[in-house]
């Protein structure tokens, strides 16, 4: 098979392969890396280390979205995120801001962020879509059914792929109707958000179908998530390995996602996924 044309997003570089987005959570409680990069200096250093390992862009977030998490207030989120965005952008890093709040998105863009990643896909804050439209930056629209505090109760599907496509399409259309150029929108199935392991696996199996149905570049964020823990557990009743022991499985999903034409993968440990996406591209180029 010859290499297929790669998806691109207006306003961002074309990397010539699936991109790798490294994660910096400036939080005390994110499920896989909470507390490790909670001060500005440590968070900036971490972002630079991820770039050195092969990250093409770095996603900075100040609010944990793990199941059951309560929201942080706006002032605290701003205090966590903006100096880290400024520090990394000042070092020439392509920064994305992971936030559900328009005010945080606006101030992060003013501090140098070039992409807004909203896990609610514009649903949590009615000011988000107009703010991103005004800023003229790309926007990640993730599949989302409600805040993390009670999202597990919403993990009910008859046909998860069809429902995620339909619901994502509605968010995508709302973003475009609100003034965000379609060429700047990335879609994301929201692995682990209002989903059980079987739903996440079905979505990973259907990445190609998702990208084709929505006709937009796809971001895949499987890194260290619960469904990987379920797959890696010794049996259905056995305890899953802790989040930080799920990086090899994460890199496997990165390879699958790259092979299925994803625009980018979002990961905590960059090195293995950076290798995976490069390897996949080389294999595609070598194919007939
Ligand atoms: N998952 C988390 C945070 N941000 N953003 C996008 N676009 N997609 C995701 O699936 C996603 C996200 C939660 O994971 P973390 O707390 O380990 O960063």
């Amino acid at each position: 098979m010859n290499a297929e044309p790669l998806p691109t997003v207006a306003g961002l570089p074309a990397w010539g392969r699936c991109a790798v987005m490294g994660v910096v959570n400036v939080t005390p409680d994110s499920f896989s890396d909470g507390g490790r990069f909670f001060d500005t200096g440590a968070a900036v250093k971490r972002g630079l280390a991820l770039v050195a390992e092969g990250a093409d862009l770095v996603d900075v977030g100040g609010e944990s979205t793990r199941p059951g998490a309560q929201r942080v207030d706006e002032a605290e989120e701003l205090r966590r995120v903006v100096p880290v965005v400024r520090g990394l952008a000042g070092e020439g890093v392509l920064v994305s801001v992971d936030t559900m709040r328009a005010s945080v998105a606006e101030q992060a863009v003013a501090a140098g962020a070039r992409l807004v990643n909203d896990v609610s896909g514009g649903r949590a804050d009615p000011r988000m879509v107009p703010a991103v439209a005004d800023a003229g930056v790309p926007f990640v629209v993730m599949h989302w059914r409600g805040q993390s505090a009670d999202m597990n109760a919403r993990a009910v599907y008859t046909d998860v792929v069809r429902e995620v496509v339909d619901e994502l399409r509605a968010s995508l259309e709302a973003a475009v109707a609100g003034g965000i150029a379609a060429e700047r929108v990335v879609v994301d199935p929201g692995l682990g958000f209002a989903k059980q392991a079987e739903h996440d696996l079905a979505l990973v199996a259907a990445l190609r179908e998702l990208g084709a149905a929505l006709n937009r570049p796809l971001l895949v964020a499987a890194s260290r998530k619960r469904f990987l823990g379920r797959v890696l557990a010794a049996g259905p009743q056995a305890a899953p390995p802790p989040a930080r022991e799920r990086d090899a499985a994460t890199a496997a999903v990165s390879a699958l996602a790259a092979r299925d034409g994803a625009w980018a993968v979002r990961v905590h440990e960059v090195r293995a996924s950076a290798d995976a996406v490069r390897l996949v591209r080389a294999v595609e180029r070598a194919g007939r």
Side-chain angles (χ1 to χ4, degrees):
M1 183 182 70
N2 278 318
E4 291 171 32
L6 290 158
T8 52
V9 179
L12 295 177
W15 288 283
R17 53 169 164 69
C18 178
V20 178
M21 174 189 277
V23 179
V24 175
N25 285 319
V26 194
T27 59
D29 60 341
S30 284
F31 81 97
S32 75
D33 58 356
R36 290 182 63 208
F37 314 112
F38 194 42
D39 79 76
T40 302
V44 170
K45 213 171 141 206
R46 176 64 175 169
L48 292 173
L50 295 178
V51 171
E53 287 175 15
D56 300 295
L57 61 169
V58 172
D59 192 37
V60 177
E63 178 171 34
S64 170
T65 48
R66 77 187 145 73
Q70 299 300 319
R71 301 222 49 196
V72 296
D73 71 41
E74 181 180 334
E76 175 63 10
E77 192 185 349
L78 285 166
R79 189 196 68 72
R80 294 178 184 181
V81 163
V82 174
V84 178
V85 169
R86 186 173 296 115
L88 285 170
E91 296 284 342
V93 176
L94 204 168
V95 179
S96 126
V97 60
D98 184 347
T99 185
M100 290 185 269
R101 285 197 173 98
S103 57
V104 177
E106 284 165 339
Q107 294 198 37
V109 169
R114 288 178 53 197
L115 173 69
V116 173
N117 171 26
D118 179 356
V119 298
S120 83
R123 290 174 187 243
D125 182 344
R127 283 192 52 243
M128 181 61 97
V129 167
V132 174
D134 276 355
V137 295
F139 188 48
V140 177
V141 169
M142 197 192 82
H143 177 257
W144 188 80
R145 283 186 162 182
Q147 295 293 348
S148 299
D150 55 357
M151 68 179 169
N152 284 347
R154 299 192 180 90
V156 182
Y157 300 87
T158 315
D159 177 342
V160 66
V161 174
R162 187 180 51 73
E163 288 165 64
V164 166
V165 165
D166 289 350
E167 292 167 29
L168 258 180
R169 184 179 289 120
S171 295
L172 165 64
E173 285 173 358
V176 173
I180 301 176
E183 311 79 61
R184 293 195 198 279
V185 181
V186 173
V187 293
D188 177 336
L191 300 174
F193 285 79
K195 289 163 195 92
Q196 302 295 342
E198 81 241 34
H199 302 130
D200 293 321
L201 290 166
L203 289 165
V204 172
L207 291 177
R208 208 167 262 289
E209 190 182 333
L210 286 173
L214 294 162
N215 200 24
R216 292 306 311 141
L218 207 62
L219 173 65
V220 177
S223 189
R224 297 180 175 176
K225 284 189 173 164
R226 274 171 305 155
F227 79 101
L228 300 178
R230 276 267 60 87
V231 170
L232 299 175
Q237 306 306 326
R244 293 183 66 186
E245 290 172 24
R246 302 175 194 165
D247 288 328
T250 298
V253 178
S254 295
L256 293 169
R259 187 68 162 153
D260 284 342
W263 167 74
V265 290
R266 177 185 180 279
V267 295
H268 299 88
E269 284 303 323
V270 163
R271 173 69 50 77
S273 287
D275 287 353
V277 298
R278 284 166 175 79
L279 189 270
V280 166
R281 194 62 183 157
V283 170
E284 286 174 346
R285 286 215 176 94
R288 293 192 289 141

